[in-house]
Amino acid sequence: MTKNRKMIYLSLLVAGGVALHLVESLIPIPFPVPGAKLGLANIVSLLAIALYGTREGLEVNILRCLIGSLLGGSMSSLLYSLSGAVSSTIMMGIAYTYFKNAFSLVGISIIGGVTHNIAQVTVASLILSTFGLFSYLPFLMVVGLLTGVFTGFAAGFARNNLAINLGQLETTGKRR
């Protein structure tokens, strides 16, 4: 894969992540837990890790957070989003790199969802100077587990289809 082609695919992943980030902000939260989200943009993060690696996953996720917050968020949402995105991407990257034979994408996505919630509660506790927010963490972790299952299945489905289609594109490109 050429460098330019890889950059184009990563840019498309960033655009997809921003779109999912913005769409998710318009969806009413289906959970009775305040602050809980579906984590739809995590699908793109997991795809970037699975297709290209942890560094590329971090690049996609950081750009997605910056652009998504500029278009539909605030500075505080950027701080929470970025802390959760970076920590979850690093943990998913480690899990995918070293334990992909032990964990499926669903398991890796659950690790990312739970890590995301731990990072966000930690940042909120530091900003608000209260560690009482950690009592809220078990509820968020249950939500992170459930949304991690959903996003893991979605990422697995997308990865399998993208691998086929990207392989066809690469084959087509070689013929020319």
Side-chain angles (χ1 to χ4, degrees):
M1 178 179 297
T2 66
K3 184 178 178 180
N4 289 339
R5 189 171 291 216
K6 180 180 176 184
M7 190 179 302
I8 290 168
Y9 292 151
L10 290 174
S11 299
L12 288 172
L13 287 173
V14 171
V18 169
L20 289 174
H21 180 95
L22 294 174
V23 165
E24 185 173 359
S25 69
L26 300 174
I27 298 173
I29 299 169
F31 305 108
V33 181
K37 296 173 65 177
L38 291 172
L40 296 177
N42 193 38
I43 295 168
V44 173
S45 306
L46 199 48
L47 271 175
I49 292 169
L51 294 174
Y52 298 105
T54 303
R55 192 185 89 198
E56 289 80 0
L58 269 174
E59 291 170 356
V60 166
N61 228 354
I62 289 170
L63 287 172
R64 189 259 312 157
C65 288
L66 290 173
I67 296 169
S69 292
L70 284 173
L71 294 176
S74 64
M75 192 61 189
S76 62
S77 70
L78 172 65
L79 192 59
Y80 294 125
S81 178
L82 206 52
S83 64
V86 168
S87 60
S88 66
T89 303
I90 290 171
M91 289 303 293
M92 288 190 302
I94 290 170
Y96 189 80
T97 303
Y98 297 108
F99 304 107
K100 67 181 167 191
N101 293 331
F103 292 111
S104 65
L105 280 185
V106 173
I108 293 169
S109 179
I110 290 170
I111 290 169
V114 170
T115 303
H116 192 277
N117 289 331
I118 291 171
Q120 284 193 327
V121 169
T122 301
V123 169
S125 295
L126 292 173
I127 289 173
L128 300 174
S129 300
T130 175
F131 290 101
L133 291 176
F134 278 97
S135 63
Y136 184 57
L137 188 58
F139 302 107
L140 280 176
M141 289 180 79
V142 170
V143 173
L145 188 142
L146 295 173
T147 59
V149 169
F150 170 73
T151 57
F153 276 120
F157 177 77
R159 180 194 60 185
N160 293 339
N161 286 302
L162 281 175
I164 293 168
N165 291 326
L166 290 178
Q168 289 174 349
L169 284 175
E170 293 298 319
T171 305
T172 305
K174 288 179 182 175
R175 282 187 204 156
R176 291 181 184 176

